[in-house]
Amino acid sequence: MSRNPLVAKALTGRTGPHTVLPMNEPDLDTAATKPDAAGPQRDAAGPQRDAAGPQRDAAAPQREAELAEKLAQVAAYEHSIRPGPLTAVMRRLGTTRGFAAVYRRLGPKVDPYIAKIGDGKVLARVYGFQVVLLQTIGAKSGQRRVSPLLYQRDGTDVILLGTNFGQPKHPGWTANLLAHPDAAITIGPVQLDVQAQLADDETWARIFPEFVRIYPGYEKYLDRRGDLTPRMFRLRPVG
């Protein structure tokens, strides 16, 4: 059991059913009312603002419908994933130091190419895991980076965990998201624009056991990291 209290809390079991965080509601206009003498001026400007309002809102239903369609395609793709020829092998070997040492060098280079074959269907059939291709902007280089990662869903949000295969340092993609929260992900045939934020402690403790359930190696990775808690991110689809 890890000495980190957050990790220890997660490993004691699940803390509750998955929930979707509510979206922030717009702030209300709290500007003070001006004297009546200024009233006609405000009223005169009112029709101009109202005329622009429908133009800004007209595209919102279309964007929401397009996003809903993409999320439905993602759900259908996830439903099609079944254990593959390497699923049991990776779950068993994933807990060993040797496998982690080899795969952390080969996986990030090979998996993105496999994921492009058949809209991700080949990768899903071989591994039998939910894999996302995360596209970020390098925190230092400013260059586009692609990272293949296992993920969990929390409602419509995508949850990522940066264990770095048990290495005592955070993986580069986590620094990229901290520097540039606007990113993109590809799940099967679907690409989504997302906004990233660090998960809170409640989410971390609730979701981490789900990562261990699909890939037991995560628990071993924590032991090797000591007190360095892996960063967990919540990715909210925006388009």
Side-chain angles (χ1 to χ4, degrees):
M1 183 70 70
S2 173
R3 293 169 293 173
N4 188 294
L6 179 59
V7 174
K9 178 181 177 183
L11 294 179
T12 58
R14 303 173 188 173
T15 59
H18 289 191
T19 57
V20 179
L21 294 181
M23 296 179 63
N24 294 332
E25 296 184 359
D27 294 334
L28 298 177
D29 183 5
T30 56
T33 303
K34 297 181 180 180
D36 293 340
Q41 298 178 6
R42 292 198 309 273
D43 293 340
Q48 297 178 8
R49 293 195 303 269
D50 292 341
Q55 296 179 10
R56 291 195 301 270
D57 296 336
Q62 179 65 25
R63 291 195 301 269
E64 292 173 359
E66 292 175 353
L67 178 57
E69 175 61 24
K70 286 184 177 182
L71 293 174
Q73 292 178 32
V74 169
Y77 171 77
E78 292 173 341
H79 185 71
S80 70
I81 297 175
R82 298 290 185 274
L86 294 182
T87 306
V89 174
M90 294 187 68
R91 282 175 173 163
R92 183 172 65 255
L93 296 181
T95 60
T96 65
R97 291 181 180 271
F99 179 84
V102 172
Y103 191 74
R104 74 169 181 263
R105 293 178 173 86
L106 295 181
K109 297 178 180 179
V110 175
D111 289 348
Y113 292 100
I114 301 177
K116 295 177 182 179
I117 303 174
D119 289 333
K121 294 180 180 178
V122 172
L123 186 68
R125 290 173 182 171
V126 172
Y127 290 152
F129 296 126
Q130 295 183 165
V131 178
V132 61
L133 295 183
L134 171 67
Q135 302 169 38
T136 59
I137 300 299
K140 296 181 179 180
S141 68
Q143 300 298 311
R144 178 176 173 270
R145 304 298 185 192
V146 178
S147 304
L149 303 164
L150 299 185
Y151 71 95
Q152 286 289 333
R153 286 274 297 276
D154 192 28
T156 59
D157 294 345
V158 170
I159 308 296
L160 301 180
L161 181 66
T163 60
N164 203 16
F165 297 95
Q167 299 300 295
K169 60 181 179 180
H170 295 297
W173 64 262
T174 66
N176 296 347
L177 286 181
L178 290 175
H180 305 286
D182 292 330
I185 58 175
T186 301
I187 301 177
V190 183
Q191 179 167 315
L192 293 165
D193 294 327
V194 295
Q195 291 180 343
Q197 65 180 53
L198 283 171
D200 56 29
D201 290 352
E202 183 277 331
T203 300
W204 205 106
R206 176 167 54 85
I207 301 296
F208 179 74
E210 294 300 309
F211 277 99
V212 175
R213 179 182 60 80
I214 63 171
Y215 190 70
Y218 282 122
E219 191 168 353
K220 293 294 184 181
Y221 295 163
L222 289 187
D223 293 338
R224 297 167 195 163
R225 289 172 65 93
D227 293 332
L228 183 62
T229 302
R231 292 166 175 164
M232 181 180 286
F233 283 87
R234 176 181 293 276
L235 275 53
R236 182 172 65 87
V238 294

